[in-house]
Amino acid sequence: MKPIYVAVCIVLLSMLAGCKGGKELATRQPVSQEVRNNFETLMASYPEWTTFSAKGSADVGLGKGGSLSTSTQVRMVHGESLQISVRVFLGIEVARLYMTRDSLFVIDKMQRRYVAESLASIGARLSQELSLATVQDALLGRIFLLGSSSSACRIDDFEVVESGSSRWSLQPRSQDARFGYRFDLNGTKLLSTQLSSADGSKSIVCHYADFVKQGTSDNFPTTMQLSLTGLNLPLSLNLGYDASSIAWNGKVSIEKLDLSRYTRVTATQLLKELSI
């Protein structure tokens, strides 16, 4: 079982999170004052941050192929870089995902190989921009507009659906022609983010749970349950932060590995090998 599956799950989420709007929703429902208040409270609760770090764990489900449990370390510098380290027994690092504003690296330390792609080249294949800011928001359990950060969101950018008992949903009015996405909330807690292809054949659903205090509200999720369907090999990822390890705005060291002794492979080669 390969620990690099953890990094691959994040890569697939990142690639879908790079699509930005290409079509506009035609309808606009009236928004109640309660939902407007919830939206403003939610946005105001997001703390200003420069760095984020947390230790945690990851459980990867591989359909009938079994499962894998590892420990993880997540480190982020706002708008600059993201590093996810995947570790096994005795804290030995076996895989790493590293993302900057312009590049993405996935490193398999066990097989001594790596993938390196510019975000521009990935975006060209997607015909859309791949955004570090969006990926960081997703890992922090925030709503976002694809291709931009959460700080750019306004309620008028969304179609709002209210379903009673404090439940409501946000669907960005500007959607990609190939993928649609939405956010489901309860009060000021984000319960799930859902992305699906226009034909419904592929989807990513991320459920958020186990909320702790951040900023002014108890709405920071320490558990993310990510499932991907429509692939050759169905994948699921449970990523959990250790709440006691979460640190905002501290000193964060992000080290770029010396890859001179590693073999470079393409993303296509890696995904084909993993039957994705």
Side-chain angles (χ1 to χ4, degrees):
M1 212 61 75
K2 298 180 176 67
I4 198 171
Y5 272 109
V6 176
V8 169
C9 281
I10 301 297
V11 170
L12 293 174
L13 173 64
S14 304
M15 292 178 70
L16 283 185
C19 300
K20 60 182 179 179
K23 64 179 181 180
E24 194 81 10
L25 296 180
T27 61
R28 182 180 292 276
Q29 300 293 329
V31 180
S32 71
Q33 190 60 49
E34 178 184 2
V35 165
R36 287 187 177 274
N37 292 341
N38 281 338
F39 182 88
E40 295 300 327
T41 299
L42 176 64
M43 299 304 295
S45 73
Y46 294 156
E48 295 291 332
W49 67 285
T50 55
T51 65
F52 171 86
S53 63
K55 297 179 181 179
S57 61
D59 296 312
V60 182
L62 308 173
K64 295 182 180 180
S67 61
L68 169 70
S69 297
T70 68
S71 62
T72 59
Q73 292 185 355
V74 178
R75 298 173 179 174
M76 292 191 282
V77 178
H78 190 198
E80 296 290 336
S81 56
L82 159 67
Q83 177 180 297
I84 299 178
S85 175
V86 181
R87 300 171 182 266
V88 291
F89 57 92
L90 302 178
I92 298 173
E93 185 179 49
V94 293
R96 182 185 297 188
L97 179 145
Y98 177 70
M99 191 174 185
T100 68
R101 286 182 293 180
D102 56 22
S103 301
L104 174 67
F105 299 84
V106 181
I107 302 154
D108 182 351
K109 298 184 74 173
M110 295 181 69
Q111 302 294 324
R112 302 195 69 81
R113 59 187 178 170
Y114 71 98
V115 173
E117 296 278 352
S118 71
L119 300 192
S121 66
I122 297 173
R125 291 196 293 273
L126 292 172
S127 300
Q128 299 292 341
E129 175 187 354
L130 180 60
S131 168
L132 170 65
T134 307
V135 178
Q136 290 183 330
D137 281 336
L139 290 172
L140 295 177
R142 299 185 175 191
I143 62 172
F144 52 80
L145 293 172
L146 291 177
S148 63
S149 69
S150 58
S151 61
C153 295
R154 300 174 302 125
I155 196 166
D156 290 338
D157 295 321
F158 300 91
E159 183 75 12
V160 178
V161 177
E162 300 181 53
S163 53
S165 302
S166 299
R167 295 295 184 99
W168 52 295
S169 299
L170 293 172
Q171 184 175 3
R173 295 187 56 78
S174 183
Q175 297 274 8
D176 187 86
R178 298 159 299 166
F179 288 92
Y181 67 110
R182 59 178 286 174
F183 306 94
D184 294 322
L185 302 99
N186 184 0
T188 61
K189 289 182 172 67
L190 176 61
L191 300 182
S192 68
T193 298
Q194 303 181 39
L195 302 94
S196 59
S197 59
D199 62 5
S201 63
K202 296 180 176 64
S203 68
I204 292 178
V205 180
C206 186
H207 293 282
Y208 298 99
D210 299 327
F211 298 92
V212 298
K213 189 174 181 62
Q214 68 157 1
T216 59
S217 299
D218 297 324
N219 60 6
F220 180 76
T222 59
T223 300
M224 284 163 276
Q225 299 173 325
L226 179 71
S227 60
L228 302 92
T229 58
L231 306 175
N232 294 336
L233 177 64
L235 292 175
S236 63
L237 170 67
N238 293 340
L239 179 64
Y241 295 135
D242 177 351
S244 66
S245 74
I246 295 173
W248 301 89
N249 304 326
K251 184 177 181 180
V252 169
S253 175
I254 295 182
E255 175 190 5
K256 190 173 182 180
L257 293 176
D258 179 5
L259 299 177
S260 60
R261 296 184 180 181
Y262 287 68
T263 300
R264 183 171 179 174
V265 297
T266 66
T268 300
Q269 288 173 314
L270 180 60
L271 296 176
K272 182 178 180 181
E273 178 181 332
L274 298 178
S275 301
I276 295 177

